[in-house]
Amino acid sequence: ALGTSLCAMVLPALVGTYTHAKRGNVAWRVAPMLALGSFIGAFFGGRDVGMHMEEDVLRGGFACLMLVLGVKSWRKGGR
């Protein structure tokens, strides 16, 4: 199921990248390092953190992150 989900995200990601690039919204100077950092973080995070941490702790951390980002977006939208 995880592999299928990852494959299902590839096409929308490529289309989104193409669309934003066409409109000049992609910082190509930053993109390679951002992609590399994301890959490394996802790999080691999934391997070292995700496999050795309790599921409830991961869910709680994710919930807190979503709450913080939601509040930040909500506050920024009011400007």
Side-chain angles (χ1 to χ4, degrees):
L2 183 59
T4 303
S5 295
L6 289 172
C7 286
M9 289 188 286
V10 171
L11 183 60
L14 291 174
V15 170
T17 302
Y18 173 76
T19 302
H20 282 284
K22 191 172 156 183
R23 294 179 180 176
N25 296 329
V26 176
W28 290 109
R29 249 186 35 191
V30 179
M33 292 308 291
L34 183 61
L36 180 63
S38 297
F39 174 78
I40 291 170
F43 179 79
F44 288 109
R47 188 186 74 178
D48 297 334
V49 177
M51 298 304 288
H52 298 99
M53 195 176 280
E54 293 293 322
E55 186 176 342
D56 290 340
V57 175
L58 287 171
R59 284 186 193 196
F62 184 74
C64 289
L65 176 65
M66 291 295 102
L67 183 62
V68 168
L69 292 175
V71 168
K72 185 177 175 182
S73 295
W74 179 65
R75 293 177 82 195
K76 188 176 181 180
R79 292 183 192 169

